[in-house]
Amino acid sequence: MDRNFALEFVRVTEAAALESARLMGRGDEKAADHEAVEAMRVMLNSIPFDGTVVIGEGERDEAPMLFIGEKVGKANGGPKLDLALDPLEGTSICANGGNNALSVIAIADQGNFLHAPDTYMEKIAVGPDAKGAIDLRATPTENLKNIAQAKKCNIEDLTVIILDRPRHTDLIAEVRKTGARIWLIGDGDVSAAIATCKVGGGVDVLMGSGGAPEGVIAAAALRCTGGDFQGRLVFRREDERVRARKMGITDLDRIYKIDELAKGNVMFCATGVTQGTFLNGVRFFRGGAMTHSVVMRSESGTIRYIEAEHHFDRKPRY
């Protein structure tokens, strides 16, 4: 996987962010997501590679664009790469004008991403200073004790980020008993997982369940930053179990470690759509806009932040 592809792919997330940000706060989730998908697809097909979407907008019958298994890229003898992507991570965030909506894409050599079905995943994520201290088989209390020990601090000093959902009532109650602080978020657990690796980001650990596809994307990002992640699929219905088996998953109760979700050399690109703790959102000015992106590579550990100025009289709508 050529390192020069990093800048090619950040143009993809920039395009998706620019288009979806136009609909920020307008209350239309489907329209915002549609604009991001269309822009990302156009830009992907301008890159000379043979790509397959393994984590996308859903299965073919449910997602007309960027569905699981869709082929993208110019090909032309280019490298065969797998993509895990979310054109608009946090559709409701963007539609409601909230914080931390992103356009994200992770890239790996063929066969190196878990083909996660569209179901839930129980997750735990930490930054590099707590790598190796997490275990989904342990209780939240035990994990917080181990994380605090690894970070050489008290549990009361930790901040746990959790999706604000009814299914997390017991988790929230247990975390509160430990004395740790809690940051409840409405959506966007990819950016929340990445925030655990940002120095001064104010987040120590992500806990709880969210989308399984987003779990794979988050694991790819944390591979690049040196963080740690574990995930276990959580099935709501029998048809989800059937779908998982069709996608090649035989052990439905398996706990996946970070390098089982995203193996080998991985790239990760993200562009902020709305203002966030990790990236700034798209900022429009007369005749153009500013975007704020990050590009990461697991092989080198390089993390590049890119601020770009776009002029619409020289740049097409996607």
Side-chain angles (χ1 to χ4, degrees), residues 187-234:
D187 206 348
D189 61 349
V190 172
S191 60
I194 299 170
T196 64
C197 298
K198 185 174 175 63
V199 176
V203 178
D204 297 288
V205 54
L206 165 76
M207 286 184 169
S209 60
E214 289 84 355
V216 175
I217 296 172
L222 267 64
R223 279 284 320 283
C224 298
T225 60
D228 204 359
F229 185 99
Q230 288 188 9
R232 174 168 46 200
L233 297 175
V234 178

Side-chain angles (χ1 to χ4, degrees), residues 38-268:
E38 293 288 344
M40 181 170 279
R41 192 169 194 267
V42 168
M43 290 302 293
L44 283 172
N45 286 330
S46 72
I47 300 174
F49 79 113
D50 183 357
T52 302
V53 177
V54 297
I55 299 290
E57 289 285 288
E59 296 183 34
R60 183 168 190 164
D61 292 340
E62 302 169 4
M65 295 293 183
L66 295 175
F67 54 83
I68 295 171
E70 182 172 356
K71 304 295 289 186
V72 293
K74 281 185 175 179
N76 296 331
K80 293 182 182 295
L81 302 175
D82 282 352
L83 307 178
L85 53 83
D86 195 339
L88 181 55
E89 203 263 332
T91 52
S92 61
I93 292 174
C94 180
N96 295 320
N99 294 332
N100 291 311
L102 300 173
S103 175
V104 298
I105 185 168
I107 311 99
D109 290 322
Q110 199 170 51
N112 281 356
F113 285 135
L114 175 73
H115 290 205
D118 188 12
T119 185
Y120 283 163
M121 176 183 283
E122 183 184 1
K123 310 171 187 178
I124 185 167
V126 291
D129 51 359
K131 186 176 179 65
I134 56 175
D135 189 345
L136 274 182
R137 295 170 296 184
T139 66
T141 301
E142 292 168 339
N143 271 306
L144 289 173
K145 287 180 180 177
N146 292 334
I147 292 166
Q149 184 176 11
K151 294 171 75 75
K152 297 180 172 58
C153 67
N154 298 319
I155 291 181
E156 291 81 3
D157 298 323
L158 298 177
T159 298
V160 186
I161 196 163
I162 304 172
L163 281 172
D164 189 5
R165 299 288 189 273
R167 64 180 180 270
H168 290 148
T169 299
D170 291 342
L171 170 63
I172 292 168
E174 181 172 348
V175 171
R176 284 175 174 161
K177 284 182 180 179
T178 69
R181 295 170 297 178
I182 297 176
W183 182 356
L184 293 175
I185 59 172
D187 206 348
D189 61 349
V190 172
S191 60
I194 299 170
T196 64
C197 298
K198 185 174 175 63
V199 176
V203 178
D204 297 288
V205 54
L206 165 76
M207 286 184 169
S209 60
E214 289 84 355
V216 175
I217 296 172
L222 267 64
R223 279 284 320 283
C224 298
T225 60
D228 204 359
F229 185 99
Q230 288 188 9
R232 174 168 46 200
L233 297 175
V234 178
F235 300 100
R236 296 161 290 184
R237 303 180 303 272
E238 182 58 29
D239 65 302
E240 293 184 345
R241 293 176 177 272
V242 172
R243 187 185 308 127
R245 293 188 183 99
K246 287 181 179 178
M247 295 177 72
I249 296 174
T250 55
D251 185 354
L252 301 184
D253 298 317
R254 179 175 178 175
I255 293 175
Y256 291 93
K257 296 184 179 179
I258 188 168
D259 55 2
E260 294 172 322
L261 293 164
K263 299 183 290 185
N265 295 329
V266 177
M267 287 185 193
F268 177 86

